[in-house]
Amino acid sequence: MPVYEYACDDCGPFTALRPMAAFQDPHACPLCGDEAPRVMLTAPALAGMDPSRRIAMATNERSSHAPKSSKSHAPGCGCCSGRGLKTPASAAAQPPAVKSFPNARPWMISH
């Protein structure tokens, strides 16, 4: 149920929790009991979303029908994939894994 604002002529503004079906009806003032009309004193409180999530959802919505690549070149190119860069000495010194995928059948694990 929403909270509505009312303004009593004698006592001033107050809020009341009312069903949506009774949004136009006046409400009795809690102090004096007179009928008070509904007023809008403040802006409605809307549940918001954090800006980064809203931007991400808008981006996904725009690209849902015709996705666009964020890069201007193909994947695996030498400029940004790391090819051509020297590997660190610690990575080169590590021994290869004991079990690996065979070259002919990558879905089978060697024994």
Side-chain angles (χ1 to χ4, degrees):
M1 270 195 286
V3 176
Y4 294 108
E5 296 175 330
Y6 296 91
C8 178
D9 293 332
D10 299 328
C11 305
F14 64 93
T15 59
L17 186 67
R18 307 263 328 250
M20 290 178 68
F23 78 98
Q24 292 180 343
D25 300 337
H27 192 269
C29 175
L31 299 175
C32 66
D34 289 343
E35 291 290 316
R38 181 172 168 243
V39 294
M40 292 187 194
L41 301 174
T42 60
L46 302 175
M49 185 183 305
D50 84 43
S52 61
R53 182 173 293 215
R54 186 174 55 247
I55 291 168
M57 290 179 81
T59 302
N60 287 342
E61 186 66 28
R62 277 194 309 270
S63 66
S64 64
H65 300 293
K68 293 181 182 178
S69 175
S70 62
K71 296 181 180 180
S72 61
H73 45 270
C77 69
C79 69
C80 62
S81 66
R83 289 186 187 170
L85 298 175
K86 294 183 179 179
T87 57
S90 62
Q94 293 177 352
V98 176
K99 290 192 173 214
S100 64
F101 290 107
N103 293 336
R105 297 179 181 166
W107 59 90
M108 294 179 63
I109 300 175
S110 64
H111 296 274

